[in-house]
Amino acid sequence: MDGSVIRTDLPGHEAELRKLLRAYFDEANEEGQEWFDDESFGAEPAEIVTADLDRLASAAISEPLFLAYHGDELAGSIQLKQLDETTAEVKRLYVKPSHRGEGVGRTLVETLLSEARVDGFRTLRLGVAPYHGNARSLYRELGFEFTPAYEETQAPTEIHDDWGFMERSLRE
């Protein structure tokens, strides 16, 4: 990746993250509607973006946000959400289409893995859509394994059979 990743809190990044998350949810809704053949699939992007920003602003951990930059341009992001004292959830890996294939996603996940270990987490969990094949492959390459749905997931029960739930130990 030709750029840098910073770990940060939300203040000072709201506007650019709002725009990036809006693109994430617009794309995810479109792909989900096609995958599930359901025009009503997905959440209202403006509402879920606001909920994400609120969650990040009140996060239980310090600096839950990882931002990848290519020069001055925000190229992608990923989030870390604490589930309990030893477990965290990976949220919202997204790389702008213009920066895909440059290693941005891998660098974001690898940075998050390293930082989550430093934070003292022993396990990471995530949910990944069935239509996000590249993300699924990346997570598998980085040691995540498929598991049953976990209690804290926000994925609706009716899509659990299609959704991918993954976990990775951070113990060495």
Side-chain angles (χ1 to χ4, degrees):
M1 180 186 113
D2 185 22
S4 62
V5 173
I6 64 166
R7 182 175 185 181
T8 187
D9 286 318
L10 182 61
H13 302 284
E14 295 95 334
E16 65 183 346
L17 186 60
R18 180 178 298 278
K19 186 175 177 182
L20 189 77
L21 288 173
R22 178 62 191 243
Y24 170 92
F25 287 112
D26 285 344
E27 184 177 314
N29 281 350
E30 184 177 308
E31 291 173 338
Q33 289 165 3
E34 185 176 313
W35 178 270
F36 290 105
D37 194 25
D38 179 356
E39 289 185 24
S40 67
F41 177 84
E44 172 54 43
E47 291 176 17
I48 199 157
V49 167
T50 297
D52 262 25
L53 294 175
D54 289 347
R55 178 179 45 78
L56 285 166
S58 63
I61 61 173
S62 177
E63 299 183 327
L65 181 60
F66 298 79
L67 302 173
Y69 285 92
H70 183 84
D72 291 337
E73 180 188 2
L74 180 60
S77 70
I78 194 168
Q79 304 169 19
L80 188 63
K81 176 184 176 184
Q82 183 172 344
L83 298 178
D84 63 37
E85 288 185 19
T86 63
T87 308
E89 183 178 30
V90 178
K91 306 282 290 180
R92 314 286 190 246
L93 172 62
Y94 183 72
V95 176
K96 286 183 177 177
S98 60
H99 291 285
R100 292 180 185 162
E102 298 175 358
V104 174
R106 176 177 295 276
T107 302
L108 281 164
V109 176
E110 287 174 342
T111 302
L112 182 142
L113 289 170
S114 176
E115 292 292 313
R117 187 176 287 113
V118 169
D119 287 351
F121 292 112
R122 295 193 302 246
T123 305
L124 291 179
R125 293 183 177 147
L126 61 86
V128 61
Y131 42 85
H132 287 159
N134 289 341
R136 285 173 174 239
S137 295
L138 175 61
Y139 290 132
R140 289 197 64 143
E141 289 173 22
L142 295 175
F144 285 84
E145 297 179 352
F146 285 100
T147 64
Y150 50 97
E151 184 178 329
E152 302 89 353
T153 184
Q154 294 175 315
T157 305
E158 61 268 16
I159 65 172
H160 281 193
D161 289 344
D162 291 300
W163 223 249
F165 298 96
M166 303 181 88
E167 185 173 291
R168 186 186 190 284
S169 172
L170 295 177
R171 296 179 186 154
E172 295 189 13

